[in-house]
Amino acid sequence: MVRGVPVPRGAATKRMWTAYAFLLPAMVVYGTFVAGPILLSVYYSLFDWSGVSRTGTFVGSGNFGRLLQDSVFWRAVGNNLRLVAGSLVTQLPVALGLALLLTRGLRGMRFFRTAYFVPHMMPTVAIGILWIFIYDPSMGVVNDLLARLGLHGWMRGWLGDERTALWAVIATIAWQFIPFYMILFQAALVGIPQELHEAAAIDGATGSKAFWYVTLPLLVGTIRTAVVLSLVGSLKYFDLIYIMTGGGPNHASELMATHMFKTAFNQFQMGYGSSVAVASFLIAFVVSALLLYVTQFRREA
Amino acid sequence: MVHPESELWEGRLERVRISRVTAGLTVAFLVLVLGLAAGSAQAQKTIELWHIFTNENEQAVLDEAVERFRAVYPDVDVKVTVTDNDTYKTKLQVAMAAGSPPDVFHSWGGGWLEEYVDAGMVLPLTGALERDRWGETFVPASLGLAKYGEDYYAVPLTLAVVVFFYNQAIFEEHGWETPETWSELLTLVDAMRNEGIIPISIANKTKWPGAFYLIYLAHRVGGAEVFEKAYNREPGYGFDHPAFVEAGERIQELVRAGAFPVGFNGLDHDVGQASALMYSGRAAMHLMGSWFPGQAREEDPEFARRLGWFPFPRLEDGKGDPTEVVAGGDLFSVASTTDYPEEAVALARYLTAYETAVDWTRATGRLPAVVNVPVEDPMTAELMKLLEEAAHLQLYYDQFLPPELGELHKDTTQAIFGLSMTPLEAAQAMERKAQELLGR
């Protein structure tokens, strides 16, 4: 609302109702497809229910007690945190680097801009299957390349090895999302007024100095947005992992979302699966809220 | 849907322009929803059929069966949806949970179907099977896959038996014989490693291909009764029985001998990574269901001509009958929620009719679950004979057991393959879960 502008009381009420009327369709859609299912999951999580039978048995917090002792769930939480770290460390710096390169005005820039963006335009399933073949131990490009470089000791079944499965998929996820952040940073870079760079140059700030003292501070807002998006995305990540490793081998790349999916749909435990979903929701919620609080605090300080 | 160029669409656009935007959009949305609802109410009867036969030959045979059904029931539309094996299970589960499953659906019987039967979602077919002796047209063991209590809940079209398939050209070139015993298999694996050939192809991200080994080995070690008694919770038997532990040890023996391709636990069966190793001649053997030859014939006819098979080797000191086989079937069930039970059962009948089974066997090389079907292809005939003469048919554990235990069986077996769990740990984890689910 606009503050400080006096509005007659009746008109304000009317305007409020108009606002609500416009909000209504969105709220109905949001309520039906977002809020409703979340509340339903909370409700289901209180039952021992197969998902097919008409009725379940009320177990109260029983599912959550079981969750605390579920080693696979905790492993999944750990993997989600690795995914968060992996995404933040790889996606954002590389995306920023590419965005800087692309705003320099290189020859053939338009080609590179399109080429770099292609991964983000591919359907996830296609990306998954493509990378399954890239990682194929006997026919894949990765091992082939290592063999050509004489690094035979490095060759392995990337998706089948418990030590590398998660990291191999994290690399693919980075490949998928770097273009997105690249575009985000590019938009922000283009938005920085040229005069600032000129003024900085006059003061003797060029090259890396200009980047550290001019460009980067002006990108902080965008970087914060990117961090939040990447963090939340990593905490609820599902699709590529499901396609490429199915959470395996032996839960080595299990995420909260794949664990939830498997318990609810493969093991016929909709009730327990819902409690996994609720727990994942809470974890994602708390972490994002903390992050928002911390970054907000810094801005005001 | 309304075609953008149709009059109705024009009219709607007019209305949107005239009225205020929000109201107009809402009306348009409602018109669309109501129009769709009215449209479906006016249509003739529709039956949904879901199956997993993605192979072209298989689809064609089933489509013809549907056509034959349509000729007799012209007022019924059949909507066929074909889905990949693993995706199908999830998709059906979601449809079941939503209370709107397809009228006729593919099934494997076992503990998986039992979940739906217990939930009252599956129509018993016992009465229908008794009418005009329909039930007698099936191989008895195959009907048993979907019998719970006194009732039958699915009708079978085809059977599958798991055996080793091998590349005859590779064997002939090196003068190798197919192994009959476990030690012969191990010797062969060594010989193949020395020649730079991957002995056995497997893509175990999908987990069930590896599970075949555990089932076969457990039965070769201890015989069929170990599993049955463990499942029925008989005293002295459990899923931590030494037979299961030894089965796991034998698997690790193969893994350590380098029998499998590098990174096999990450290879995806559904995108063809195991068959690719066979087709390209990099791998020599493949433990797979009898659907494999038909699939190979379609994907690589040249390779299919070199394909041979041999039964799972016997264990020298095992108690199990070496003629026992791991097997399963593909069946069709009818949902109890169907609006047209009579038509849905009739469709199931056309899908598993003698005529369909004859076409099926001829076109796909897969084994019929219907009796007296002529089998021309020699390999199909041999496999049929193996199945008929088997001392015992063991349905895949993951489909026989309650789903939660079945999933754990696949997970722990994959971990055994990956050497990240000892066979004893895996067996004890299975037994703990079994006690929880099946009782002590």
Side-chain angles (χ1 to χ4, degrees), chain B residues 224-238:
Chain B
E225 79 268 15
V226 174
F227 177 74
E228 272 165 25
K229 287 179 176 169
Y231 176 70
N232 292 317
R233 313 312 293 159
E234 285 186 25
Y237 287 87

Side-chain angles (χ1 to χ4, degrees), chain B residues 171-193:
Chain B
F171 274 63
E172 274 161 28
E173 190 189 325
H174 297 88
W176 290 324
E177 301 269 329
T178 54
E180 282 175 17
T181 65
W182 187 252
S183 50
E184 282 174 23
L185 179 68
L186 287 172
T187 314
L188 192 59
V189 163
D190 271 345
M192 288 175 168
R193 294 294 309 174

Side-chain angles (χ1 to χ4, degrees), chain A residues 15-81:
Chain A
R15 206 199 271 173
M16 206 174 72
W17 281 112
T18 318
Y20 282 138
F22 274 95
L23 276 177
L24 191 69
M27 281 172 75
V28 167
V29 171
Y30 187 81
T32 317
F33 296 107
V34 181
I38 292 176
L39 291 177
L40 267 181
S41 300
V42 174
Y43 176 69
Y44 291 150
S45 69
L46 305 176
F47 290 86
D48 180 14
W49 180 47
S50 72
V52 237
S53 57
R54 299 269 150 76
T55 52
T57 322
F58 183 80
V59 291
S61 62
N63 282 330
F64 291 96
R66 180 175 158 194
L67 189 72
L68 291 177
Q69 292 167 4
D70 182 350
S71 60
V72 178
F73 176 73
W74 291 111
R75 195 157 177 192
V77 173
N79 285 339
N80 265 109
L81 295 177

Side-chain angles (χ1 to χ4, degrees), chain B residues 134 159 162 211 271 286 358 360 404 410:
Chain B
W134 182 25
L159 286 167
V162 178
V271 300
H286 189 29
V358 171
W360 176 265
E404 201 185 337
K410 283 191 290 183

Side-chain angles (χ1 to χ4, degrees), chain B residues 351-365:
Chain B
L351 292 172
T352 59
Y354 179 76
E355 205 179 346
T356 313
V358 171
D359 290 350
W360 176 265
T361 306
R362 190 179 297 139
T364 68

